[in-house]
Amino acid sequence: MPGFEIFGDEERKQVNDVLESGILMRYGFEGLRNNHWKAKEFEIAFAKRMQSNHCQLVSSGTSALTTALASAGIGAGDEVIMPVFTFVASFESILMLGAIPVLVDIDDTLTLDPNAVEAAITSKTKCVMPVHMCGSMADLNALQSICEKHNLLLLEDACQALGGTYQGKPLGSIGDLGCFSFDFVKTITCGEGGAIITNNDKFSKNADQYQDHGHDHIGSDRGAETHPNMGYNFRISELHAAVGIAQLEKLDEILAIQKRNYTIIRKVLETIKGVSFRKVPEGGEENYSFLSFFLPTEEMTKNAIAMLSEANVEANFYWYTNNWHYINGWEHMKNLKSLGLLTDEVKTQLKKLNDTDFSKSDAVMCRTISSLIKIGWTDTQVEDRANKMKKAIESVL
Ligand SMILES: Cc1ncc(COP(=O)(O)O)c(C=O)c1O
């Protein structure tokens, strides 16, 4: 994915700034750091780019989700509604707090189905966590209305959708909190890293403290700081943040190239009778990191994946049978394979998943192919890819 495709002198220069001062930690050591505060600088730039009041950097997208939930007061026994098509980090981040993941169906947006969300609300529900998979979004208007009606938090997992927008606003900035990942395969990368954005001053302060052992970050003597609440260590390092500063400056260029390559391929696939495309909610614009489309049947989709592979068209994902992203592959979670004890409430909820009917999601996922969009392709390579895809897909219809 793009971030690492365009790693260059700009990232090296930023990292060298840090190496030359030798201060790899984001806090303290004022006298020695040559006035380099890379994490702080990245936070300010990212908050501005995302039109949010606050940004808190952390060590990963997974720790961003945990920190965001904790900052908003989610804890043991609270229910968080999340989709069955996502990355394992969604339930991991919830379980880490002793909270309860409640998995519900997706629809043809490939994200949370608002009707399924509404049906899953109980007196314990505290938060709805849409996951904007593969560059596009959930129906955020519908989810916002549900959250307002039931007094729930809306936490957007925008880890895969950096740069996408909804009704003119950056994805991640619409809910109460938004989370991002800068791991090695994301739109921009720090190697490892994550961010939380919010307009809520209290959540922002809580996140700042939680990700650093509860430190209040007041004054310049770290050892003398107080700890208003307990926290953990989910800090980002200066080295990682330095890479992020350079990558963020390339974001708009990355998005423009993705859009161009996506559009070339989409126009060719649109000429195939039987191919339809993922629904993008009205007012939404994808970040164009994937082109996701549907074929008429599961069998045709499986055959198309085989034909694409045979034709050496790389990076076409069939999530339905991919361990990481769809509930079909989460046997470890459904069978309670935890190294530590789980609470009875969590066990009951997870066990239920073995008998829950997700046929609505199955019917969508078994016909979905997501095709990765790279930015290093030349125009000829994109056209060649599009034509090979058309030939492979038509051969199975
Ligand atoms: C949708 C989603 N959420 C969360 C994460 C977790 O991010 P990280 O790998 O930085 O922990 C990922 C990573 O792939 C993701 O795709």
Side-chain angles (χ1 to χ4, degrees), residues 285-296:
E285 178 159 15
E286 303 180 60
N287 79 353
Y288 304 104
S289 52
F290 283 90
L291 173 58
S292 296
F293 56 94
F294 309 120
L295 297 190

Side-chain angles (χ1 to χ4, degrees), residues 217-265:
H217 299 136
I218 295 172
S220 56
D221 180 356
R222 187 167 165 79
E225 287 177 16
T226 65
H227 302 82
N229 290 301
M230 289 188 285
Y232 291 90
N233 177 2
F234 292 137
R235 293 186 305 258
I236 195 165
S237 82
E238 284 288 273
L239 288 169
H240 292 88
V243 177
I245 292 171
Q247 288 263 298
L248 184 59
E249 282 179 10
K250 300 177 180 179
L251 177 60
D252 289 327
E253 185 193 343
I254 290 172
L255 296 173
I257 302 171
Q258 279 180 176
K259 183 171 183 177
R260 188 196 63 198
N261 291 349
Y262 170 111
T263 308
I264 294 171
I265 298 174

Side-chain angles (χ1 to χ4, degrees), residues 290-324:
F290 283 90
L291 173 58
S292 296
F293 56 94
F294 309 120
L295 297 190
T297 66
E298 175 176 353
E299 196 191 347
M300 286 176 189
T301 314
K302 282 185 173 154
N303 291 341
I305 284 288
M307 292 309 289
L308 287 163
S309 168
E310 201 168 290
N312 288 323
V313 187
E314 50 155 19
N316 290 289
F317 296 96
Y318 187 51
W319 309 117
Y320 192 51
T321 53
N322 174 307
N323 286 355
W324 289 103

Side-chain angles (χ1 to χ4, degrees), residues 175-197:
D176 298 285
L177 297 131
C179 290
F180 297 88
S181 163
F182 306 122
D183 75 22
F184 197 54
V185 292
K186 292 298 183 293
T187 303
I188 64 171
T189 183
C190 299
E192 298 286 358
I196 301 134
I197 57 170

Side-chain angles (χ1 to χ4, degrees), residues 60-62 65 86-87 89 131 133 157 159-160 181 183 186 193 325:
S60 69
T62 312
L65 291 168
T86 175
F87 180 58
V131 184
M133 286 298 280
D157 177 342
C159 289
Q160 293 198 9
S181 163
D183 75 22
K186 292 298 183 293
H325 290 285

